[in-house]
Amino acid sequence: MLIFSKLTLNYNLKTFIIILNLSITTLLHGQQFKTYYDFGIIQKNTDLDSVTVILNNVKKEAKVTNNKHKLIHYLITKSAYGRFTLNYDDTFKNAGEALFLSEEIRDTLLIAKAHEELGVLSYMFKQDAEAGFNFKKANKFYNVAFNQGTCSTLDVLRSYYNLIMYNQRISDDRRLKTLMDTCDSLAKEVNKFDVYQIYLDEKRASIEERNNNYHTALGLLQNSVSKIQNLKPKAYHFHKNFLTILYARIGSIYLKKNNPELAKQYFEKSLNAPDYFNEATFYRAFINTQYAEVLFNQEHYNEAYKKLKEASLINDQYLNPRNDNNAGFLTVKDQYKEQIDAKNKQINTQKIALAKRTQEALQSKVLLFIVLFVSVIIGLIIRSRIKQQKHQKIERSSQDLIDIKNKELTTSTLQLIEKEEIINKLSNYIKNNDKSASSKPLIKSIENQSESLWDAFNKRFVSQNIGFYERLQEKVPNLSAADLKICALIKLNFTGKEMSYLLGISLGSVHVARHRLRKKMKLKRNINLTNFINSI
């Protein structure tokens, strides 16, 4: 019965080791998070008893002066100090409130810092999706702040290192290698290359370990241990915390290589390594579980149980959401995540509304431009028509005046024709009936003083119908001088008989001249010659 009980105990202990191991194995990754004195409020060497006093004074001053920038720095520092003291009750709440205020005042650098702190908290509590989201946001805003000249290259470098830890956690080796290349370049810029190689070699070791290249992985990890041990005292004090991670990683690989003695040796070193910033607390649960597995395989059951109990206490105290102490801040974390989602939704709604208003304003401007453009066009058209009407009125007036003068010319010409006919009759009568010597000088005087009737007519016609002959010849280029005379007389509505007398030709010649004009002008039979000439 005693043997059966011991076997049952051993079986249950082994099962518990496996379950606990599976639950926290993925926690084992190196860290280099910002501490509470990295935010400008607490100095490095400040006595721990004074930190809370200083923080409370800063908070009070920020609220009295309504200084949101100072309040945000207080909230982020308070959260980081909570990590240091392992008091996580208000860490998520403080970091979440810092993010809200940062977004409210639209300070790029503070938004980056708040996302970074939320990412660290999510990473520590194995909330991988939230950690990745916040680390990516922090990196994005740090890069923007760097371009704005409000943050240093070191801030950007550390944001890339956070992404490296996240991608190491989720085993995205391709992305991990790319980020490490970027980190190398930035570390050289700030003269931190040697220090960052200690941390990046641990990440390279994880890639080699996943590929079962244990020898290479061990070489990288032991090289990092050696580099830390050879640091100057001041630098060693800051980086010695990382030995906890390095020793544990080495022990874990030796355990995989079935070398329990070396595994045990390095697990003991890891548990005894200093942890000034309390960053390795959660890792100690993993280390104790791994150590318990070694002890169990060596049949040191009591010692294995003690290590498992220590691991279980850490899990229950910090990682178990059913624990009353954890329920508060885990609920706050979810609450703030919901509020962030709600705020982002509200911002998106506002952006859509703004875009809609902008589009409506643009449409109104376009419509106003179209109305103005159409109004200008209509105005120009109306103005053109008014000018055209005025011009047409002037032309009509001028044409009416020309028509009147042409009628006067026609009348006076006809009167001249009548007078010339009388003078010719009188001259012929004297010639035929008065053979005296005194009649000859009289007849000669009449002939000398008589001006050509056509020349007198043509002078007045040209002065009254300016450009008529030119327009006519432009339209019908092959007209003769005789044709032009006929056209002028047709324009003034002279009869054939009046034309024959004025031109000194027979009536038949006038008819022939009119017929010849129609042919030159290529007029169809249904087109009136007089109307065509008057239209020119």
Side-chain angles (χ1 to χ4, degrees):
M1 186 70 179
L2 182 61
I3 295 173
F4 178 76
S5 298
K6 186 175 181 180
L7 288 173
T8 303
L9 176 63
N10 291 346
Y11 174 78
N12 290 337
L13 190 61
K14 178 67 174 177
T15 303
F16 184 54
I17 290 172
I18 294 171
I19 293 171
L20 194 58
N21 230 331
L22 289 173
S23 68
I24 61 176
T25 297
T26 54
L27 285 173
L28 187 64
H29 295 112
Q31 301 175 353
Q32 194 191 14
F33 297 134
K34 286 184 178 178
T35 63
Y36 61 88
Y37 54 74
D38 283 319
F39 301 101
I41 292 179
I42 308 297
Q43 298 300 315
K44 247 185 183 183
N45 298 321
T46 302
D47 185 84
L48 293 181
D49 294 334
S50 303
V51 172
T52 302
V53 176
I54 294 171
L55 286 174
N56 288 336
N57 289 337
V58 170
K59 178 183 178 182
K60 184 178 179 180
E61 182 183 348
K63 290 191 172 181
V64 169
T65 59
N66 195 26
N67 188 331
K68 290 186 178 180
H69 286 82
K70 182 170 284 190
L71 182 59
I72 293 166
H73 277 104
Y74 157 78
L75 290 167
I76 297 173
T77 306
K78 180 74 173 174
S79 176
Y81 187 65
R83 288 193 279 111
F84 173 76
T85 58
L86 301 179
N87 181 11
Y88 295 98
D89 291 351
D90 294 324
T91 51
F92 280 100
K93 179 180 178 181
N94 290 329
E97 189 175 349
L99 178 59
F100 288 139
L101 290 174
S102 300
E103 289 178 342
E104 185 178 309
I105 64 175
R106 298 182 179 180
D107 188 303
T108 304
L109 181 57
L110 290 178
I111 292 173
K113 289 181 178 181
H115 272 299
E116 182 179 35
E117 180 62 20
L118 280 170
V120 169
L121 291 169
S122 299
Y123 180 90
M124 292 180 72
F125 282 89
K126 203 183 172 186
Q127 305 296 312
D128 291 344
E130 289 82 358
F133 170 80
N134 284 293
F135 281 152
K136 288 173 185 176
K137 283 283 188 180
N139 178 257
K140 173 186 173 182
F141 282 104
Y142 270 125
N143 276 293
V144 173
F146 179 78
N147 292 330
Q148 294 173 345
T150 57
C151 83
S152 66
T153 306
L154 184 59
D155 284 321
V156 178
L157 169 60
R158 296 182 81 162
S159 75
Y160 275 107
Y161 183 78
N162 290 338
L163 286 174
I164 286 173
M165 288 195 300
Y166 164 70
N167 283 278
Q168 181 188 27
R169 166 79 64 80
I170 64 173
S171 302
D172 187 345
D173 290 344
R174 184 186 63 81
R175 180 64 177 153
L176 184 58
K177 290 176 182 177
T178 302
L179 289 166
M180 285 194 293
D181 289 341
T182 303
C183 212
D184 278 338
S185 299
L186 292 171
K188 288 176 182 176
E189 285 186 34
V190 295
N191 199 26
K192 297 279 186 181
F193 182 77
D194 292 339
V195 170
Y196 268 86
Q197 290 312 297
I198 296 172
Y199 293 88
L200 294 181
D201 278 348
E202 185 266 333
K203 310 300 180 284
R204 294 184 180 100
S206 66
I207 296 174
E208 298 296 335
E209 184 179 351
R210 278 193 285 271
N211 292 320
N212 298 321
N213 298 324
Y214 298 134
H215 180 75
T216 305
L218 283 171
L220 290 166
L221 293 168
Q222 286 167 345
N223 188 47
S224 290
V225 169
S226 177
K227 285 180 179 179
I228 290 177
Q229 290 173 339
N230 290 325
L231 289 172
K232 293 179 180 179
K234 188 175 180 180
Y236 175 76
H237 176 74
F238 184 78
H239 296 287
K240 63 184 178 181
N241 289 42
F242 197 50
L243 290 172
T244 303
I245 307 301
L246 294 173
Y247 287 142
R249 292 291 310 282
I250 293 171
S252 179
I253 292 175
Y254 276 126
L255 187 59
K256 290 180 180 179
K257 287 169 61 70
N258 295 317
N259 192 334
E261 287 303 320
L262 282 176
K264 181 179 177 182
Q265 179 183 333
Y266 276 98
F267 285 140
E268 286 177 354
K269 281 187 174 184
S270 178
L271 291 171
N272 292 326
D275 184 19
Y276 177 73
F277 298 111
N278 291 327
E279 288 185 350
T281 300
F282 295 159
Y283 296 141
R284 292 182 186 278
F286 167 81
I287 298 164
N288 279 304
T289 307
Q290 292 275 282
Y291 197 3
E293 185 176 347
V294 176
L295 293 170
F296 179 86
N297 291 334
Q298 293 181 340
E299 298 184 354
H300 300 308
Y301 302 124
N302 288 334
E303 292 180 42
Y305 176 75
K306 289 178 181 178
K307 296 301 177 185
L308 286 177
K309 187 175 181 181
E310 290 179 29
S312 182
L313 284 172
I314 294 172
N315 269 345
D316 284 340
Q317 186 173 357
Y318 299 111
L319 302 177
N320 186 357
R322 289 173 296 179
N323 188 316
D324 291 339
N325 293 328
N326 299 337
F329 67 77
L330 291 175
T331 303
V332 167
K333 178 183 75 68
D334 292 338
Q335 174 189 347
Y336 270 85
K337 186 177 184 300
E338 290 173 4
Q339 291 183 18
I340 289 171
D341 292 340
K343 186 171 183 180
N344 288 335
K345 186 176 180 180
Q346 182 184 4
I347 291 171
N348 289 333
T349 303
Q350 290 173 348
K351 285 182 178 178
I352 292 170
L354 179 61
K356 187 176 180 181
R357 288 196 298 271
T358 303
Q359 185 177 9
E360 289 174 351
L362 181 61
Q363 289 174 346
S364 299
K365 288 180 180 178
V366 171
L367 182 61
L368 179 61
F369 175 77
I370 292 172
V371 170
L372 289 173
F373 180 76
V374 171
S375 300
V376 170
I377 295 298
I378 292 173
L380 290 173
I381 292 172
I382 293 172
R383 182 183 174 188
S384 176
R385 286 187 177 178
I386 291 172
K387 287 179 71 176
Q388 187 179 6
Q389 288 172 356
K390 286 182 178 180
H391 181 68
Q392 288 174 349
K393 187 176 180 181
I394 292 170
E395 281 189 339
R396 281 197 299 270
S397 299
S398 300
Q399 188 60 44
D400 291 343
L401 184 59
I402 291 170
D403 291 342
I404 291 170
K405 288 185 176 181
N406 282 340
K407 286 180 181 180
E408 292 176 352
L409 176 59
T410 302
T411 303
S412 63
T413 302
L414 292 175
Q415 289 174 351
L416 286 172
I417 290 172
E418 290 177 357
K419 289 178 180 179
E420 194 162 314
E421 284 180 346
I422 293 171
I423 291 171
N424 285 337
K425 286 179 181 180
L426 180 60
S427 178
N428 288 333
Y429 178 79
I430 293 172
K431 285 179 182 180
N432 294 328
N433 298 301
D434 189 356
K435 302 294 182 178
S436 64
S438 60
S439 64
K440 289 181 179 181
L442 179 60
I443 292 170
K444 190 174 181 180
S445 175
I446 291 171
E447 289 175 352
N448 290 337
Q449 291 180 6
S450 178
E451 185 183 8
S452 170
L453 188 57
W454 167 256
D455 290 338
F457 165 80
N458 196 45
K459 284 180 182 178
R460 288 188 63 186
F461 178 82
V462 170
S463 65
Q464 291 176 194
N465 298 273
I466 298 171
F468 172 74
Y469 287 138
E470 288 79 1
R471 292 195 299 275
L472 185 60
Q473 286 181 313
E474 186 179 344
K475 202 160 191 177
V476 188
N478 58 345
L479 296 179
S480 65
D483 294 332
L484 293 174
K485 290 179 181 180
I486 295 293
C487 289
L489 294 173
I490 290 173
K491 183 173 178 63
L492 297 181
N493 296 316
F494 276 65
T495 64
K497 184 179 177 183
E498 290 165 347
M499 289 183 196
S500 68
Y501 187 85
L502 189 59
L503 296 173
I505 59 175
S506 66
L507 183 58
S509 297
V510 171
H511 292 318
V512 171
R514 287 175 68 98
H515 179 69
R516 188 169 56 247
L517 267 176
R518 290 185 67 88
K519 287 182 69 176
K520 286 185 177 183
M521 294 176 177
K522 298 178 182 179
L523 297 179
K524 295 180 181 179
R525 294 184 65 181
N526 62 335
I527 296 177
N528 185 274
L529 178 61
T530 302
N531 292 338
F532 177 75
I533 291 173
N534 282 328
S535 68
I536 297 173

